[in-house]
Every structure is written in structure tokens, then in C-alpha cells.
């Protein structure tokens, strides 16, 4: 996880053209806090530090913590591009179906204690956009299940 977190932070810093000091300043963190995370001196950064870093980088903690293999990264970038380009809601029936299917799967796997509201809606949005790319417009269950597994099943419960 630490190397994936490091990679994600560096990737997003480079995209925003931030130095480590600039990220620390924008996140309101003390000097060397981000540097210590990147160097592995801080093995388990606090939720508050991760939230501050995510906000400064204009992403979610989930974005920073997600796996970053080449396949997943390409897949995620493709979905993210579609999110930015599409109108807010072209297929309301598909959105409803996505929400229902994801809720069913998360309930079946007893994952709601692990899932925040923001994370839930992010998954619904990604599944909706991925599913809306081809005819017939229906929930891509395999993608939804893969996304739920990759986002939530390996994490401990909240609270």
C-alpha cells in the first residue's frame, strides 16, 4: 500500500506541477510531513493528513489509496476521461439500475461498514459511465463487481 500511495501522490503532484513543499503548504501540513510519507518514514499516515493531501491534490482518499497497476490505472483513467466529457445524466434508467445493482452487491458482501457515501456514489458514477458506453445500455455487472472488489473488499471496516 505504501508504494501505491507514494506513486499516486507523486503522480498527482506532477500533474499539478507541485513540489513537495507546495503540497505541504496547500494541505496545511507541517514541513517534511509529505516528504516523510513519500520516503516511507511515516508508514501509516493519519486520516487527517491523507484527507488534507487529497483535498490539496483535488482528489479523494480513495483515489490515493487505490491500486495502481498499469491495467487498473489505464482503466481508471479511461473512466475518469469519460466522467469529465459526458453530460451529467444521459440515461436515468441506467443510473437507477447501476445504483440498485451496486447496492445489492455491497449488501450481499456486507461491505457497507467499509463504504462512505462519497465512495459509494463514486462507484455508481464509474459503473454508470462505463456501462453507458455501448449498446444495449445496461449495467456491466462484471465491471461493477471488479470495481467493488478492488475498492472495498480488502479494507477493514470503518468505525
Amino acid at each position: 500500500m505504501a508504494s501505491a500511495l507514494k506513486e499516486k501522490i507523486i503522480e498527482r503532484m506532477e500533474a499539478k506541477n507541485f513540489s513537495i513543499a507546495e503540497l505541504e503548504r496547500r494541505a496545511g501540513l507541517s514541513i517534511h510531513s509529505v516528504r516523510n510519507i513519500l520516503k516511507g518514514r511515516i508508514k501509516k499516515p493519519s486520516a487527517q493528513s491523507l484527507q488534507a493531501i487529497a483535498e490539496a491534490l483535488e482528489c479523494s482518499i480513495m483515489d490515493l489509496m487505490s491500486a495502481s497497476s498499469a491495467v487498473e490505472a489505464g482503466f481508471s483513467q479511461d473512466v475518469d476521461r469519460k466522467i469529465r466529457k459526458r453530460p451529467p445524466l444521459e440515461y436515468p434508467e441506467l443510473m437507477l439500475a447501476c445504483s440498485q445493482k451496486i447496492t445489492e452487491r455491497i449488501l450481499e458482501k456486507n461491505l457497507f461498514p467499509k463504504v462512505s457515501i462519497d465512495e459509494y456514489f463514486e462507484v455508481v458514477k464509474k459503473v454508470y459511465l462505463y456501462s453507458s458506453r455501448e449498446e444495449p445500455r445496461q449495467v456491466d455487472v462484471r465491471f461493477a463487481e471488479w470495481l467493488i472488489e478492488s475498492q472495498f473488499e480488502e479494507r477493514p471496516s470503518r468505525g
Side-chain angles (χ1 to χ4, degrees), residues 36-59:
N36 288 336
I37 292 169
L38 296 178
K39 296 248 184 215
R41 292 184 192 123
I42 296 176
K43 303 276 186 232
K44 295 181 180 177
S46 71
Q48 292 85 1
S49 293
L50 289 176
Q51 183 63 41
I53 291 168
E55 287 174 6
L57 294 172
E58 298 176 343
C59 65

Side-chain angles (χ1 to χ4, degrees), residues 137-156:
R137 305 234 192 292
Q138 60 189 22
V139 179
D140 187 315
V141 176
R142 288 180 57 203
F143 177 70
E145 289 177 351
W146 171 84
L147 192 59
I148 290 166
E149 272 182 36
S150 67
Q151 298 294 327
F152 307 122
E153 286 192 7
E154 298 301 318
R155 295 194 301 181

Side-chain angles (χ1 to χ4, degrees), residues 8-152:
K8 291 288 188 169
I9 290 172
I10 290 171
E11 175 184 303
R12 291 185 177 271
M13 282 174 53
E14 288 173 353
K16 297 214 164 277
N17 202 24
F18 286 177
S19 65
I20 292 173
E22 178 69 9
L23 177 57
E24 290 167 340
R25 185 185 69 72
R26 287 178 182 252
L29 298 173
S30 61
I31 297 174
H32 300 297
S33 55
V34 172
R35 184 178 319 275
N36 288 336
I37 292 169
L38 296 178
K39 296 248 184 215
R41 292 184 192 123
I42 296 176
K43 303 276 186 232
K44 295 181 180 177
S46 71
Q48 292 85 1
S49 293
L50 289 176
Q51 183 63 41
I53 291 168
E55 287 174 6
L57 294 172
E58 298 176 343
C59 65
S60 68
I61 292 177
M62 189 171 86
D63 293 332
L64 295 177
M65 302 300 288
S66 64
S68 62
S69 72
V71 171
E72 290 177 28
F75 206 43
S76 178
Q77 288 172 355
D78 183 45
V79 172
D80 287 342
R81 274 194 297 279
K82 290 178 191 252
I83 288 171
R84 281 188 229 104
K85 290 182 182 176
R86 287 197 182 269
L89 188 59
E90 291 180 81
Y91 312 106
E93 298 84 10
L94 178 60
M95 178 64 84
L96 178 60
C98 289
S99 181
Q100 289 171 333
K101 187 60 69 178
I102 290 163
T103 301
E104 287 171 12
R105 292 295 192 250
I106 290 174
L107 283 171
E108 285 172 9
K109 296 173 182 284
N110 195 31
L111 295 173
F112 268 117
K114 299 179 183 182
V115 181
S116 74
I117 292 170
D118 290 337
E119 292 168 329
Y120 170 80
F121 284 116
E122 187 68 25
V123 169
V124 170
K125 181 169 62 173
K126 286 182 179 181
V127 172
Y128 165 78
L129 291 172
Y130 186 81
S131 299
S132 68
R133 68 192 172 119
E134 291 181 17
E135 293 285 343
R137 305 234 192 292
Q138 60 189 22
V139 179
D140 187 315
V141 176
R142 288 180 57 203
F143 177 70
E145 289 177 351
W146 171 84
L147 192 59
I148 290 166
E149 272 182 36
S150 67
Q151 298 294 327
F152 307 122

